[in-house]
Amino acid sequence: MAALVLFGGGGDLAMRMLLPSLYFLEHDGLLPDDLKIIGAARSDESRDEYLAKVRTAVEGKAEADEAWSEAAWSRLSGRLDYLAVDATDPASLEPLKARVGDGPTTSFLAVSPSLYGRIVTALKAAGLAGERDRVVLEKPVGRDLETFREIDDAVAAAFSENQVFRIDHYLGKETVQNLIALRFGNTVFEPLWNNLSIDHVQITVGETVGVGDRWPYYDEYGALRDMLQNHMLQLLCLVAMEPPADLDPDSVRNEKVKVLRSLRPITPDEAERVTVRGQYVGGVVEGEAVKGYDEERGQDSDTETFVAIRAEIDNWRWAGVPFFMRTGKRLPEKRTEIVIQFKPVPHSIFEQGDRGALQANRMVIELQPEEDISLSVMNKRPGLEQRMQLQPIRMSLSWGQNDRGARPPRRRIAYERLLLDALAGDSTLFVRRDEAEQAWKWVDEVSDAWAEGEVRPKEYAAGTWGPDAAAALLARTGREWNTGHG
């Protein structure tokens, strides 16, 4: 019998994401028949008490999606067990080893990354790191290249690389996976996916929430390490990578590593020109007055809550195409998107003015709040006017556009896909060690450039799209951020 052990099984990630994901997989009949699920945490509580907490967490999410079923809950609860353990102590793990038996065990570490090294060492000593066992690690692993290697060396001493699954939940999103299908499954796009046709790329991850009481963590990481090092660079890799030979996990990840190795280092001399650091001050978000970061923290801080970067990929496909990335807290809206801005037609046969302005094609890949892929194209405005009138139209490339009467599929939690893949041993959507190392190397260069160039965060009012310098980052190249949808 196979086992999935959720270390930190009573924590926020487990209750908010992992256990609801497992419920939905159970509801849809996708979990392996022989899978046992064990929540493991320090809390000394009974199985019944734990199940009651899990039900409360799961039922609310399921009802919101009209997917609550007593039968599905009965099946899931029949798999669920709970054990109070100190995951860093091999002796404390002995009862867990007895509970999971001799089948393959997948250990999901939904705990602080600072504990990873001690936990994997204990897992090995307790016999839970055998050849058929796996370990799943949540980001962020370390806060720079040096600390990443320290933690990952401990992981490598207990598990071989093909047993390690480093999660970036953005890669589990349906639209991110659809980007791969769109690029490599259609001849219409791939020939245009280069510096001959694409003007620039924008990647935005905007959040309306502030840091709040998470400031001790955020003071250590900041927006650069918390968001850009993992989520945003992963999205950049999927946009920019060469076609892999096949969908074998290593084939895909080899191409992503090549992109990261091709990123031009950012030096102290150009840090002010190609990067922006920001920190929110008091303002209004979604109609509500909110405090600045320093007010939440209780004292002054140089931590960035916003970062914008112009990245260059030095290879034949992307030479001369800037990739603009921005992410921040307390922005006007929650939005995650990739914008592929194509070049304008080389010569317009349409006069401007009353014919309508000619706009270059643009593809927008939206991940949040809704998932969608759309393409804007120019079209003739309907009518019998003798002078042809043009207008841009937005074509959705997402599911259901050709079957409008069909009920759309339920929007899945990204962890559903990733949990299934980890249980099956498919590492395609997980981050390999050399990927993480290259990402940390580039981010460390940015951080070092800020330190050496004494680049301090610029203030921006909560509820705005970051400091004025973020708009200037594009404006001085004759471009602007996408402010609409599509």
Side-chain angles (χ1 to χ4, degrees), residues 225 268 443-453:
R225 293 182 172 91
V443 163
D444 281 357
E445 289 166 348
V446 175
S447 181
D448 291 345
W450 283 349
E452 190 172 333

Side-chain angles (χ1 to χ4, degrees), residues 23 44 105 108 126 169 213 239 388 466:
Y23 167 81
D44 189 12
T105 299
F108 195 118
H169 72 268
D213 58 9
V239 171
M388 185 182 292

Side-chain angles (χ1 to χ4, degrees), residues 33-52:
D33 292 338
D34 64 344
L35 180 67
K36 179 188 300 184
I37 303 169
I38 301 175
R42 289 180 178 269
S43 303
D44 189 12
E45 57 187 327
S46 69
R47 176 178 180 271
D48 287 345
E49 290 171 327
Y50 181 67
L51 286 180

Side-chain angles (χ1 to χ4, degrees), residues 349-379:
I349 64 171
F350 305 97
E351 297 174 6
Q352 300 300 311
D354 62 353
R355 289 189 186 272
L358 194 63
Q359 299 178 13
N361 303 128
R362 170 180 288 184
M363 179 180 289
V364 179
I365 301 149
E366 297 178 55
L367 281 72
Q368 288 184 126
E370 300 297 330
E371 295 193 47
D372 186 31
I373 299 179
S374 63
L375 180 67
S376 65
V377 298
M378 295 304 296
N379 197 22

Side-chain angles (χ1 to χ4, degrees), residues 381-396:
R381 186 176 298 155
L384 299 178
E385 295 87 350
Q386 295 207 329
R387 290 174 60 81
M388 185 182 292
Q389 305 287 312
L390 298 183
Q391 65 180 1
I393 63 168
R394 180 175 178 269
M395 300 166 34
S396 177

Side-chain angles (χ1 to χ4, degrees), residues 169-179 182 193 201-206 235 239 326 333-340 362-376 394-399 401 411-412 414 465 482-486:
H169 72 268
Y170 272 42
L171 299 185
K173 290 182 176 293
E174 194 74 24
T175 305
V176 172
Q177 297 167 60
N178 204 23
L179 173 59
L182 195 74
W193 215 262
V201 176
Q202 299 178 23
I203 301 175
T204 294
V205 180
L235 296 179
V239 171
R326 63 174 173 172
E333 57 185 285
K334 179 175 180 157
R335 187 202 303 181
T336 300
E337 68 179 14
I338 304 167
V339 177
I340 312 295
R362 170 180 288 184
M363 179 180 289
V364 179
I365 301 149
E366 297 178 55
L367 281 72
Q368 288 184 126
E370 300 297 330
E371 295 193 47
D372 186 31
I373 299 179
S374 63
L375 180 67
S376 65
R394 180 175 178 269
M395 300 166 34
S396 177
L397 306 178
S398 294
W399 184 94
Q401 295 306 306
R411 185 179 176 188
R412 293 192 177 277
W465 281 106
N482 181 44
T483 55
H485 294 280

